[in-house]
Amino acid sequence: MSVLVFVEADNGAIKKSSFEAVTCGAKLGDVTAVAMGDINAGELEALGKYGAKKVLHAADSRLNDGVIAATALLVAEAAKKEGAQTVLMARSSLVDAVAARVAVKLNVPVASNVVELPDTSAGFKVKRGVFTGKAFAEVSIPGDSRVITLAKNAVAPEEVGGTAAVEAFEVNFSDADFGVKRTSVHKQEGDILLPEADLVVSAGRGLKGPENWGMIEELAKTLGAATACSKPVSDMDWRPHHEHVGQTGIKVSPNLYIAVGISGAIQHLAGVSSSRVIVAINKDPEAPFFKAADYGVVGDAFDVVPKLIEALKASN
Ligand SMILES: Cc1cc2nc3c(=O)[nH]c(=O)nc-3n(C[C@H](O)[C@H](O)[C@H](O)COP(=O)(O)OP(=O)(O)OC[C@H]3O[C@@H](n4cnc5c(N)ncnc54)[C@H](O)[C@@H]3O)c2cc1C
C-alpha cells in the first residue's frame, strides 16, 4: 500500500507525533513523507529511520505559518503525485482543520482521531476515539483510498533504521491559498508547551491555594515536566488559563500525567485520557481519578509530593 504521511515541525524540529505517524504508515506500506517550510536537513533525513522511503519537502517559507488552505493543497498534490492510497496525519490544530479539506480534494473518505494501528486484514478498519475519549467506534472505511488522522500516542514511534531520499517539492500556489496571514506569534518563554509535553505535573483544588504551587513547580522541574491545573484552579486565578486542561481547556497526551489533588471529573479526564501513564495522588480513596489512573497514591499531597521530590532528586 502506498502511504503519504504529512509531517509537521516546530522551530525546525519535527514533532514527535509526526514520527508516530511515520511509524504507523511504515506498518501499513511504503511511506512517502511530505514536509513544509523551514526544517533542519538532519530532521528530514531522520524520517528515514522511522521507515519513510522518500521525503517531499516544500521549502516555501510562507508555509511556516501553517496556513490551512495552502497546507491542504500541498498534501493533496503530494498524495496525487505519489498515488497514495492512505494519507496519514498526526492530529494537531492545523491537521484537524486540514484533513477534511484534503479528503474533499481527493474525493475520498476521512476518519479522524484514530487511536490504534488500522486493521488491513480484510478491507480497512479503524478504531476511533469518540465522545472526548469516553467511547470508541470501530469503523470500516470503504473504497481503495482514505485520509486518516491519528491521535497522539496511538502508535509508539519506532526506529527501524532506513534512509530517506529528500526531494524538493513545488506546488503552484495562488495568493488565495495564503489568504490568512499570521501577523505575530507570542510564545511563553521558558515553559514547556503543554500540548507537546512528554511529562505533565498537574494539580487541583486539593492544593488549597496558589501559595502551595511551589512544590508542584519543583516536582515538574525535577522531572523536566510541564505544569497544568484543573479548571476551577485557573478560574480562581491560582494559575494562568493556558495551564487549564480538560474538555474546555488544553488536551494533553504525555507519556506521564501526574494529577495531584484533582478529583477526576469527566470534564477533566476528557483532556488527559490519552496520556500513556496516569498517576493520581489524592487523599480520598474514592476519588474518581483512581478509576482512570494506572497508578494511585492515597495520601495527603503535602506529605506525598515533598517525599516524591526527595526520592527523585536522590535517584538522579
Ligand atoms: C461544561 C463544563 C466543562 C468543564 N471543563 C473542565 C475542564 O476542562 N477541566 C477541568 O479540570 N474541569 C472542568 N470542569 C469542572 C469539573 O466538572 C470539576 O469541577 C473540576 O475538574 C474539579 O476540579 P478539582 O478536581 O481541582 O477540584 P475538586 O472537585 O474540589 O477536587 C479536589 C480534590 O482534591 C482532593 N484533595 C483535597 N485535599 C487534598 C490533599 N491535601 N491531598 C490530596 N488530595 C486532596 C479531594 O479529595 C478532591 O478529590 C467543567 C465543568 C463543566 C460543567
Side-chain angles (χ1 to χ4, degrees):
M1 181 190 301
S2 159
V3 182
L4 181 84
V5 179
F6 170 61
V7 300
E8 266 189 271
D10 186 22
N11 268 335
I14 288 171
K15 292 182 177 183
K16 175 179 160 259
S17 55
S18 291
F19 288 121
E20 291 173 359
V22 172
T23 299
C24 177
K27 289 182 193 289
L28 296 173
D30 288 336
V31 172
T32 296
V34 60
M36 63 186 193
D38 300 324
I39 304 186
N40 303 335
E43 288 284 307
L44 292 172
E45 282 158 22
L47 290 163
K49 283 195 226 150
Y50 293 85
K53 297 235 157 55
K54 190 183 352 171
V55 178
L56 302 176
H57 181 212
D60 186 329
S61 57
R62 289 176 300 172
L63 291 162
N64 284 343
D65 288 348
V67 178
I68 293 165
T71 308
L73 183 64
L74 171 88
V75 178
E77 290 300 307
K80 284 182 199 161
K81 176 181 177 327
E82 294 300 302
Q85 289 159 289
T86 300
V87 176
L88 265 180
M89 300 186 239
R91 282 195 72 190
S92 68
S93 53
L94 176 64
V95 161
D96 284 352
V98 160
R101 288 170 165 85
V102 174
V104 168
K105 285 181 192 297
L106 299 175
N107 196 22
V108 299
V110 57
S112 60
N113 202 26
V114 170
V115 294
E116 60 183 37
L117 187 70
D119 174 3
T120 55
S121 56
F124 198 101
K125 292 187 196 130
V126 293
K127 184 173 173 184
R128 300 181 52 228
V130 293
F131 298 116
T132 57
K134 292 296 286 176
F136 297 101
E138 282 176 5
V139 180
S140 238
I141 306 175
D144 295 331
S145 309
R146 73 292 299 177
V147 173
I148 303 291
T149 72
L150 267 191
K152 282 185 187 156
N153 285 335
V155 176
E158 201 179 298
E159 289 197 28
V160 289
T163 51
V166 180
E167 285 180 14
F169 183 51
E170 281 187 25
V171 173
N172 284 327
F173 293 115
S174 69
D175 286 347
D177 296 320
F178 294 97
V180 176
K181 290 203 172 31
R182 187 182 291 179
T183 50
S184 64
V185 177
H186 302 276
K187 258 193 162 174
Q188 292 131 39
E189 291 300 324
D191 285 343
I192 299 168
L193 291 178
L194 255 186
E196 293 298 319
D198 208 33
L199 303 163
V200 176
V201 176
S202 189
R205 207 148 46 175
L207 265 278
K208 317 289 182 217
E211 66 281 6
N212 295 323
W213 243 264
M215 66 179 184
I216 298 300
E217 283 168 334
E218 196 179 351
L219 177 57
K221 198 170 162 215
T222 311
L223 286 165
T227 50
C229 67
S230 65
K231 183 173 185 292
V233 162
S234 62
D235 287 348
M236 290 183 294
D237 276 339
W238 294 0
R239 297 296 292 177
H241 269 284
H242 66 253
E243 286 198 357
H244 144 213
V245 299
Q247 184 185 324
T248 48
I250 304 269
K251 311 270 180 294
V252 293
S253 312
N255 275 321
L256 175 65
Y257 184 79
I258 302 180
V260 185
I262 303 179
S263 58
I266 49 166
Q267 297 89 353
H268 185 86
L269 295 178
V272 309
S273 56
S274 59
S275 305
R276 196 171 285 278
V277 175
I278 296 177
V279 178
I281 301 171
N282 197 302
K283 68 175 185 185
D284 174 7
E286 301 299 322
F289 226 133
F290 288 126
K291 291 204 180 80
D294 299 281
Y295 300 94
V297 181
V298 178
D300 190 317
F302 297 94
D303 293 334
V304 176
V305 174
K307 284 189 184 133
L308 192 53
I309 295 168
E310 205 180 294
L312 283 166
K313 284 186 175 164
S315 72
N316 275 346

